[in-house]
Amino acid sequence: MTWSAFSDVASAVCLLAGSFLALTAAIGLVRFPDLFTRMHAATKPQVLGLLLILGGVAFRVRDAGDLGMLAIVAIFQLLTAPVSAHMVGRAAYRTTTVRQDLLLTDELADPDTR
Amino acid sequence: MSPTRRQRARLGFQLPMALGLTVIWILLWGHFGLLEVVGGFLVATVVLRVFPLPPVQFDGTIRPLPFVKLVAQFVYDLVTASIQVVRIALTFGKQPMNAIIKVPLHARSDLYLTFTAELSSLVPGGLLLEVSREESTLYLHVIGVRSEADVDAARARVLRQERRLMEAIASKDELAAYRARAQGSLA
């Protein structure tokens, strides 16, 4: 198998897997019952899906400048996704939109453990 | 660290930060040339002057082997976390049970607290809700817990994350202090 054929296949696999993850992240956003579970969907499969898509693109472009741009997108996604998820989650908890019936324990609410 | 050194670090020119911003600038232009390097450095200098950040205390050293272990485990965790969320998203007719857990960390440093929080947000059982800086404590939302054992497992996972991070980048003194505190909390 030549290198270009290999990179085409690797690119296709990455793009498909990444798209699948992005799709399930979207399904999760619609289906999950409350904001916190939705944020889980918006952080984990979404981030990995984007990384896979970037990887798939990287197999196809060979220009070093473009690869640098892809690397920047990946790094900033990894840096900012947890921060934005934190800010949304924190605001949601404080405005008590949390569904207590879906929580096994809430150690943030318990004054003894606080 | 004495206050004078801290103040000097705040006012002084933060060269590593400026170089990092320059690299980002070059990558954004997608072309490496004299214009990009000089221009990027000028922009970085202006940005650091206009938006000065408090100096980040980092006296640690990167240990190659634990660092590779940290990154490899992180990638593995990210994949497992995604598969877990995908499975929950595609399981119809059942609502996931969740928990909000409190994880007291052992390291006493803003930098390591931030890193642990960032890493934990992307691995199974992690959505950061609240941080207590004084107590170095994280509050995380965990998806898909079924029992108290799952809650404890999630807590242990965050603490292992912290240990891997400390072993990978903390300085000798910080690592020793961290280990002493971790031992103390186990006893």
Side-chain angles (χ1 to χ4, degrees), chain A residues 68-90:
Chain A
M69 192 79 79
L70 295 176
I72 283 199
V73 175
I75 289 168
F76 275 98
Q77 177 74 25
L78 284 172
L79 283 178
T80 55
V83 178
S84 57
H86 174 204
M87 290 333 284
V88 174
R90 189 167 182 258

Side-chain angles (χ1 to χ4, degrees), chain B residues 78-95:
Chain B
L78 181 60
V79 173
T80 357
S82 300
I83 292 171
Q84 183 204 22
V85 175
V86 165
R87 212 175 44 219
I88 295 172
L90 298 181
T91 310
F92 286 86
K94 214 171 75 183
Q95 300 279 33

Side-chain angles (χ1 to χ4, degrees), chain B residues 60-180:
Chain B
T61 44
I62 291 180
R63 297 180 190 80
L65 208 63
F67 190 79
V68 169
K69 196 176 144 200
L70 173 78
V71 173
Q73 182 73 39
F74 172 72
V75 172
Y76 174 80
D77 284 347
L78 181 60
V79 173
T80 357
S82 300
I83 292 171
Q84 183 204 22
V85 175
V86 165
R87 212 175 44 219
I88 295 172
L90 298 181
T91 310
F92 286 86
K94 214 171 75 183
Q95 300 279 33
M97 274 306 277
N98 314 295
I100 294 176
I101 62 167
K102 172 186 179 177
V103 188
L105 299 178
H106 303 306
R108 295 282 179 279
S109 149
D110 287 352
L111 183 70
Y112 302 131
L113 182 67
T114 311
F115 266 124
T116 309
E118 282 249 350
L119 291 170
S120 302
S121 294
L122 291 169
V123 302
L127 178 68
L128 193 61
L129 292 185
E130 195 71 68
V131 181
S132 165
R133 188 180 161 199
E134 296 79 30
E135 302 162 40
S136 288
T137 298
L138 301 180
Y139 293 91
L140 297 146
H141 182 271
V142 190
I143 193 172
V145 287
R146 283 177 295 274
S147 61
E148 282 293 325
D150 285 354
V151 172
D152 291 337
R155 210 189 323 266
R157 207 156 40 213
V158 176
L159 290 174
R160 279 202 303 275
Q161 185 84 49
E162 185 195 29
R163 198 183 63 216
R164 278 194 300 273
L165 177 76
M166 295 302 287
E167 284 170 355
I169 63 169
S171 73
K172 220 175 230 166
D173 295 348
E174 286 168 328
L175 191 58
Y178 160 75
R179 284 201 169 124

